[in-house]
Each structure stands twice: as structure tokens, then as C-alpha cells.
Amino acid sequence: MSAMINRRTVLAGTAFTGLAALLAACGSSSSSTASSTNKLEAIKSAGKIRVGLEGTYRPFSFHESNGTLVGFEKEIADLIAKDLGVTAEFVETPWDSLIAGVDADRYDIVINNVSATDERKQKYDFSVPYLYSEPKVAVKKDSSLQNVSEISGHSSAQSETSNFRKMVEAKGASIVVVSGFDEAIEQVLSGRAEMTANDSVSFAEYFKEHPDANLRLLSGDLGTGSNSSILMAKGQDALRNAIDESLKKHLGNGDIKAIYEKYVGEDLSPKN
């Protein structure tokens, strides 16, 4: 009898546990669904959308001498916020912890020259593209390297989680890990790294600001150009749709083109 009672107790407990787990799963699913549908409403209720960016990445987002945050990604975020009927609150974060800030709910979206790679799309959602740029490699002027095809076995200063790191590694380069573009340039100029890869826009801006810099770009293709999109947490369908609508409107009416021409002198709108 004792054994029978114990067995029934175990079975009952197992059944209760299973039911509780099922209810918890249903509750979790409902909570997740509610969260995804209410995110846009929460932003509108708060009157602001929290935007993650570096703030030190000229001409994407950077500070003028008086401390004002400017840049073409900053202005694009302002357009989106206006369309949502809210203001943009910018949260400046170093690149290597920028995307993780979405997981920690430090901000609602990231706009920082982020490509929607297959790996990232497994964990995050992305808007339609708003920017197109080409990857380039910079070396010191006296470097023996002339073409991207020669970089195998040479060192490249790259942010740990950047697409450009993967591009140069695929070509056989070793990596000197840095926190961002400015540090990467410093590593090359000081000789601690032989090169650094980044997008053509960043290099064009750097050479504009430093016309006498001891750097040059290698010839050849590092990889195909890529579009950048706004990153956000998975399942934010209403928010993503609202952002897509805003971006499509401003890409279509020339507002974003005008912003690009203001900062870089050319249209960086995405290619179809």
C-alpha cells in the first residue's frame, strides 16, 4: 500500500508539474505576444523612442565642437521619431556592446551602420535598408600591400563583432581587436596593426578631416557592398512596420537623400 501511495503521489505530482509547465508556456507565449504588440504603444505612451548609437562615428553620429550630437543616422532617427509622434532619446554606447543593449532593454532600436546578416537575423528583427556602402581596407602609405588579395597573413585592427572582421578573416588576415574606428586607425598609424577594414563612407570622412594622414586604401574588392538597417528585438512587428513606413516615405520623397548629401556629398540610399 505504501508503495502504491508513493507511486500515485509521484504520478500526480508529475501530472501537476506538466500542467503547470504547459500553463506557464502558454502564459509566456501570451506575455511575449502582448509585449510585441504593445511595444509601439509603449513608445508612444512614453513620448520617446530610445535609440542606441555610438555617437563617435563620423559622419554617422558624432558630436560637434559645442557638444551637439549630429550625423546622418541621428537625423534619420529624428525623422522616424517625428513620424511616430515622439522624440528620439539617444543612448551612446561603444560598438562591441551596442547590439547587446537591445537585449538589456537599454534602448528600443539601434541605428549604427548595422547590416542585417543571416546570423543577426536569427536573434533580431531589422527594418528595410536605409544605407548602402562598400567595404575598403586602409594601410600606411609605405606598406608593401597594394591589393586586398595580398592581405592573407597580415594583421588587421577590427572591432570584435563587426562584419569587417569576418571579411578580412575570410581573406586570411589575423585580428587585432579594437573598440571602434578611431582606435583601429590609431593601431595602423602606430604600426601595431598593418591595416583596418571599414566602409567607404567612414574612410572618405576620415580623409576629408585628415587630408595629410599617412594612410591609403588598397585596390581590389574586400567583398560586396552591403545595406544597413535598423535593428530591434524579435517580434516587434508593429514597431518594425511603423519604422519601415517612415523609411520608405523619406527614401521616396528625397529627405534621406538630402541628409546624405549634407554630410557626405553623395546619395547613399540603398540599392535595390
Side-chain angles (χ1 to χ4, degrees):
M1 175 67 77
S2 175
M4 184 178 297
I5 292 173
N6 288 341
R7 183 171 179 273
R8 286 174 179 171
T9 303
V10 170
L11 289 173
T14 302
F16 177 79
T17 301
L19 177 61
L22 178 61
L23 291 173
C26 291
S28 174
S29 176
S30 297
S31 174
S32 175
T33 301
S35 174
S36 67
T37 55
N38 291 335
K39 184 66 170 179
L40 179 58
E41 294 175 15
I43 289 170
K44 290 184 176 182
S45 178
K48 64 182 180 181
I49 182 169
R50 301 168 300 161
V51 182
L53 44 64
E54 285 182 275
T56 57
Y57 192 19
R58 185 186 293 265
F60 297 81
S61 65
F62 61 100
H63 288 268
E64 293 183 320
S65 57
N66 63 3
T68 302
L69 180 66
V70 295
F72 60 73
E73 287 185 325
K74 189 267 182 187
E75 292 200 18
I76 292 172
D78 281 333
L79 287 178
I80 293 170
K82 184 177 180 180
D83 287 342
L84 297 182
V86 300
T87 59
E89 178 182 276
F90 296 97
V91 183
E92 297 176 38
T93 307
W95 166 257
D96 280 336
S97 56
L98 185 61
I99 295 177
V102 171
D103 302 327
D105 195 33
R106 293 190 62 225
Y107 25 79
D108 305 303
I109 62 173
V110 168
I111 180 168
N112 202 87
N113 194 23
V114 180
S115 297
T117 63
D118 290 339
E119 181 180 357
R120 288 173 181 157
K121 285 191 287 188
Q122 292 178 13
K123 189 173 183 181
Y124 304 98
D125 279 344
F126 290 87
S127 71
V128 295
Y130 64 87
L131 167 73
Y132 177 83
S133 61
E134 299 278 354
K136 298 291 183 181
V137 178
V139 298
K140 290 177 69 173
K141 287 183 176 178
D142 62 359
S143 172
S144 63
L145 298 175
Q146 301 296 323
N147 192 286
V148 171
S149 62
E150 303 169 7
I151 69 176
S152 179
H154 296 273
S155 60
S156 187
Q158 305 298 153
S159 299
E160 187 171 8
T161 59
S162 73
N163 294 341
F164 304 108
R165 172 179 180 163
K166 295 179 180 179
M167 288 181 178
V168 295
E169 281 185 318
K171 296 285 188 180
S174 61
I175 302 300
V176 176
V177 177
V178 296
S179 61
F181 181 76
D182 290 342
E183 185 182 353
I185 294 293
E186 178 186 337
Q187 292 289 308
V188 176
L189 291 175
S190 67
R192 291 189 288 271
E194 296 172 90
M195 60 190 167
T196 186
N198 215 295
D199 66 89
S200 56
V201 181
S202 298
F203 285 126
E205 179 66 18
Y206 180 81
F207 288 123
K208 175 182 173 183
E209 296 291 320
H210 306 84
D212 299 322
N214 185 26
L215 290 173
R216 59 179 171 82
L217 298 179
L218 296 182
S219 59
D221 295 326
L222 178 61
T224 57
S226 62
N227 289 321
S228 295
S229 300
I230 293 172
L231 177 148
M232 66 202 80
K234 274 282 188 186
Q236 307 294 345
D237 295 346
L239 177 60
R240 188 186 70 246
N241 291 338
I243 290 174
D244 284 352
E245 183 179 341
S246 176
L247 288 173
K248 289 175 181 177
K249 179 179 79 173
H250 295 295
L251 285 166
N253 65 16
D255 288 341
I256 290 179
K257 176 183 177 181
I259 290 172
Y260 287 142
E261 290 177 344
K262 169 184 173 181
Y263 282 96
V264 299
E266 62 178 299
D267 184 13
L268 303 176
S269 297
K271 300 182 182 298
N272 296 326

